[in-house]
Amino acid sequence: MIFKTLGFISAMSLLGLSATGWAQTANWRVEQAVANGTGCVMGADTLAIAAGDQIQFIFSNLGVDLPANSGLPYAARKACTIAVPAQIARGYYAANLQQSIYYGGIKSPGASASIATQGTFFGIPVNPLVVNLPYGTTFNQPAAFRQTTNSFLVSAPGPALWCLPSFNPVGLFTSRLVVQGSKNSDSQTLLLSADQYDIKFYATMGWITCPAS
């Protein structure tokens, strides 16, 4: 099973930010990243990669694989909790967080499945990202897409906190990811993040320059 790529990517084009800020705003401490759960173990089936403001987690064991006529149980669930520290360059504050899931699979009408994420950044909750594939519907796509965006200008401290000289610019991104599904008989097919498919989870962090003091 393959659950690919989780990443943060700066959203300068949405915010009109400078190229110099984008390149060095976040320093992801990949060597301290952790991933644990029934669908992931860091260093075994999970890898973290950082480049500039982008952080990616690559998984190979996070998904549901219940083919028809397999004799397997009718339900399956995999979960993964990840965390990685980030050091933010002084002079910027968080503007928005964009999360996207790319996923694929095959589902018969007598099966249901879901993908759900719930995370925080610097202790601030971010919007959950949920994909639901309900009973009574079919699904057969190698690549589908879902996206949500947080605006920290509304839901999180702005320059009043992030721009203080005393502010500690080191914090965590955390997320719990769950892929689960069930079917009502062995004749039904339910594959989500099976070997031939990828699920890609992206998160995009935009930054705004602090006001001049």
Side-chain angles (χ1 to χ4, degrees), residues 34-70:
V34 297
N36 288 289
T38 56
C40 67
V41 177
M42 182 61 74
D45 55 25
T46 304
L47 176 67
I49 301 173
D53 277 355
Q54 179 177 351
I55 180 74
Q56 297 184 332
F57 286 80
I58 301 175
F59 304 87
S60 61
N61 189 36
L62 189 59
V64 173
D65 187 1
L66 300 175
N69 305 313
S70 63

Side-chain angles (χ1 to χ4, degrees), residues 37 62 66 77 82 93 97-98 121-122 125 135 187 207:
L62 189 59
L66 300 175
R77 182 179 188 272
I82 60 173
Y93 67 94
L97 179 74
Q98 185 181 84
F121 186 71
F122 275 67
Y135 281 105
S187 64
W207 303 95

Side-chain angles (χ1 to χ4, degrees), residues 7 25 38 48 55 72 78 110 185:
T25 303
T38 56
I55 180 74
L72 294 171
K78 290 287 186 70
S185 75

Side-chain angles (χ1 to χ4, degrees), residues 12-136:
M12 289 190 304
S13 60
L14 298 179
L15 299 168
L17 308 185
S18 67
T20 55
W22 180 84
Q24 301 179 356
T25 303
N27 176 20
W28 296 98
R29 298 180 176 178
V30 177
E31 70 282 358
Q32 299 178 33
V34 297
N36 288 289
T38 56
C40 67
V41 177
M42 182 61 74
D45 55 25
T46 304
L47 176 67
I49 301 173
D53 277 355
Q54 179 177 351
I55 180 74
Q56 297 184 332
F57 286 80
I58 301 175
F59 304 87
S60 61
N61 189 36
L62 189 59
V64 173
D65 187 1
L66 300 175
N69 305 313
S70 63
L72 294 171
Y74 292 178
R77 182 179 188 272
K78 290 287 186 70
C80 180
T81 299
I82 60 173
V84 59
Q87 180 170 2
I88 308 306
R90 291 191 178 276
Y92 296 89
Y93 67 94
N96 63 63
L97 179 74
Q98 185 181 84
Q99 302 173 82
S100 305
I101 279 185
Y102 295 82
Y103 57 98
I106 300 173
K107 187 191 75 66
S108 300
S112 70
S114 67
I115 306 165
T117 72
Q118 180 63 69
T120 65
F121 186 71
F122 275 67
I124 302 164
V126 299
N127 292 335
L129 183 55
V130 179
V131 173
N132 282 316
L133 305 175
Y135 281 105

